[in-house]
Amino acid sequence: MSANPHDFYAPADWAKIYEETKRHETPSLVVHLGIIERKYREFCKLFPYSKCHYAVKANPAPEVVSLLRDLGSNFDVASVYELDLLLSLGVDPSRISFGNTIKKARDIQYAYEKGVRLFATDSLPDVDNLAKYAPGSDIFIRLLAEGSDTADWPLSRKFGCHPDMVVKEAITARDKGLNPRGISFHVGSQQHDIGTWSASLVKVSYIFDTLLEHGIKFDLINMGGGLPAKYISKTNPIDVYAEEITKYLKESFGDSHPDIIFEPGRSMVGDAGVLTTEVALVSWKSDTELDRWVYIDAGIFNGLIETVNESIKYPIYCEGAGEDETKFTVAGPTCDSMDIMYEWYKVPLPADLAAGDRMYWMTAGAYTASYASVCFNGFPPIKTYFVKD
Ligand SMILES: *Cc1c(COP(=O)(O)O)cnc(C)c1O
């Protein structure tokens, strides 16, 4: 069965989004700001002891940022460009963390001049740069986290360092006049195994103790992202994540735990977006082939990059979806043979699917429009439209 919108959206939300899609050419993304507002309030209720630093890269649309600004969220930026966006929207730099451990010295200097005082790091050269260009700033050190096997979109290897290196960087940072405040980790995006937070927290607790012996008292844990959106592969609901993570925190740190930050991206905006696409062509490669190929006007290079390795399985809805369905290989429009979204995972779609029909990719609010490569093969970037209740 192609996916039923009502399994993923409240009827009123779906009606609103669907109506908006009718007004626009494809491919386009409609984002329901009301859903994001509810997600933010839900986060605050589930993690009342935590500060939310929305990971801007998930969906940097000014409409999304302004909404979260007004709701009181903080923000985590990956670059000076995201920083400029936030400042242009009137976000105070005291609400912004620079969470990318990979940054040029002049970008650190720029962020510092603009008033940012909270930075992530995971290497000694970066600590040196921070000491020089962001003197006295608060820093948190990113720990290598396990969990790449159970995350749909792992963030391991490239980021973070070994516990011994965390200790070394903390001491170096202190000696160079920075204020090393704590540790961050990211268990991988769309993390199915909630236990990965426990594994990281145990290490964090050990590092806190080790640093006490060096006269450094850490008081901040940044637990990153990894909280789920609702795709085809099931996860626990977010309140189970909250319950378990809160329990792990108590187990490792007791009731008077350190300051806590989360940096939700996907879980904040993923469920709020629907990407509308149009079928360009339906074909088959031999007379005896049972399955069909469907080529649509969005693909790996314009919006659906997270289908690489079939990592994220978006629920797809087609009008006229019903009894008579066939399995489809789903591919994008470019002249690049990598531009296939689902080949092993055959998507059941209406047997009479034809050029001109629309396909709706649900839960597409995160990492779609912002991850589209610009004009690859001449296909223009995805446009985004907004609705509100
Ligand atoms: C991308 C990113 C996030 C957001 O992760 P989600 O799994 O989308 O919630 C949070 N923190 C950092 C440092 C990131 O790079």
Side-chain angles (χ1 to χ4, degrees):
M1 277 268 290
S2 74
N4 181 348
H6 291 160
D7 291 340
F8 296 88
Y9 293 90
D13 290 344
W14 173 256
K16 189 125 212 171
I17 292 170
Y18 190 58
E19 188 188 307
E20 184 69 19
T21 66
K22 300 284 166 216
R23 282 196 265 279
H24 305 291
E25 284 184 8
T26 63
S28 56
L29 179 69
V30 173
V31 172
H32 195 312
L33 295 169
I35 295 177
I36 298 179
E37 174 163 355
R38 276 173 260 150
K39 290 279 175 192
Y40 179 79
R41 294 191 193 288
E42 179 186 50
F43 175 88
C44 295
K45 219 169 92 201
L46 291 174
F47 299 97
Y49 51 81
S50 152
K51 270 173 121 178
C52 172
H53 283 235
Y54 170 62
V56 174
K57 71 177 193 284
N59 190 326
E63 290 83 353
V64 173
V65 170
S66 306
L67 170 74
L68 290 168
R69 174 201 62 203
D70 293 345
L71 289 169
S73 183
N74 303 287
F75 298 90
D76 185 67
V77 299
S79 67
V80 290
Y81 310 103
E82 285 184 353
L83 173 61
D84 281 342
L85 169 75
L86 294 183
L87 295 174
S88 77
L89 294 169
V91 177
D92 193 90
S94 65
R95 293 164 68 180
I96 300 172
S97 51
F98 200 138
N100 196 342
T101 56
I102 296 153
K103 45 201 174 308
K104 295 172 182 168
R106 64 175 175 276
D107 294 341
I108 295 173
Q109 188 172 19
Y110 181 83
Y112 183 79
E113 279 166 9
K114 295 288 177 186
V116 176
R117 291 293 180 272
L118 182 58
F119 294 85
T121 190
D122 66 358
S123 69
L124 287 169
D126 190 56
V127 169
D128 285 346
N129 284 338
L130 287 165
K132 201 158 161 196
Y133 297 107
S137 291
D138 290 352
I139 63 163
F140 51 84
I141 302 172
R142 184 146 167 192
L143 174 68
L144 266 175
E146 279 139 50
S148 50
D149 299 346
T150 46
D152 285 347
W153 198 257
L155 287 168
S156 51
R157 284 198 357 265
K158 182 170 171 186
F159 302 105
C161 58
H162 187 273
D164 293 345
M165 184 57 90
V166 174
V167 171
K168 204 165 170 183
E169 287 166 23
I171 294 168
T172 307
R174 185 223 16 220
D175 293 348
K176 292 189 174 224
L178 290 164
N179 182 26
R181 281 204 56 201
I183 293 176
S184 71
F185 59 84
H186 194 306
V187 295
S189 199
Q190 191 70 6
Q191 177 56 261
H192 289 255
D193 180 3
I194 310 177
T196 51
W197 272 274
S198 170
S200 284
L201 282 171
V202 167
K203 282 190 200 160
V204 168
S205 159
Y206 158 79
I207 298 170
F208 272 49
D209 290 344
T210 306
L211 280 170
L212 274 181
E213 294 164 21
H214 292 90
I216 296 175
K217 187 165 172 23
F218 268 3
D219 65 354
L220 174 70
I221 306 173
N222 179 337
M223 296 208 256
L227 300 170
K230 201 171 174 190
Y231 300 106
I232 291 287
S233 315
K234 290 232 166 357
T235 63
N236 279 290
I238 195 165
D239 45 323
V240 176
Y241 281 72
E243 214 172 284
E244 293 292 307
I245 292 170
T246 306
K247 188 182 79 191
Y248 301 146
L249 200 54
K250 276 215 169 105
E251 281 166 5
S252 288
F253 291 91
D255 282 326
S256 57
H257 58 69
D259 291 347
I260 303 293
I261 287 177
F262 273 93
E263 301 168 332
R266 187 184 304 280
S267 61
M268 198 61 75
V269 295
D271 291 0
V274 173
L275 174 66
T276 307
T277 63
E278 185 184 304
V279 174
L281 185 74
V282 173
S283 74
W284 49 97
K285 306 222 176 251
S286 81
D287 283 342
T288 52
E289 189 169 14
L290 297 172
D291 299 335
R292 292 285 176 264
W293 284 71
V294 56
Y295 303 90
I296 63 172
D297 56 4
I300 298 278
F301 301 101
N302 60 337
L304 294 168
I305 185 83
E306 288 202 317
T307 59
V308 164
N309 295 327
E310 314 204 353
S311 300
I312 296 288
K313 292 193 180 64
Y314 295 94
I316 300 171
Y317 165 68
C318 290
E319 276 138 328
E323 305 76 59
D324 201 13
E325 297 203 323
T326 300
K327 299 268 170 92
F328 282 85
T329 297
V330 182
T334 62
C335 293
D336 189 305
S337 59
M338 189 199 151
D339 195 5
I340 301 175
M341 284 78 85
Y342 301 123
E343 190 171 13
W344 301 293
Y345 161 61
K346 301 274 183 210
V347 185
L349 296 169
D352 59 355
L353 194 67
D357 288 350
R358 286 188 159 195
M359 275 170 64
Y360 301 86
W361 296 61
M362 298 183 281
T363 318
Y367 306 123
T368 47
S370 63
Y371 274 46
S373 63
V374 175
C375 286
F376 184 61
N377 272 219
F379 291 97
I382 302 275
K383 294 194 195 74
T384 307
Y385 305 96
F386 299 88
V387 294
K388 234 186 154 190
D389 11 39

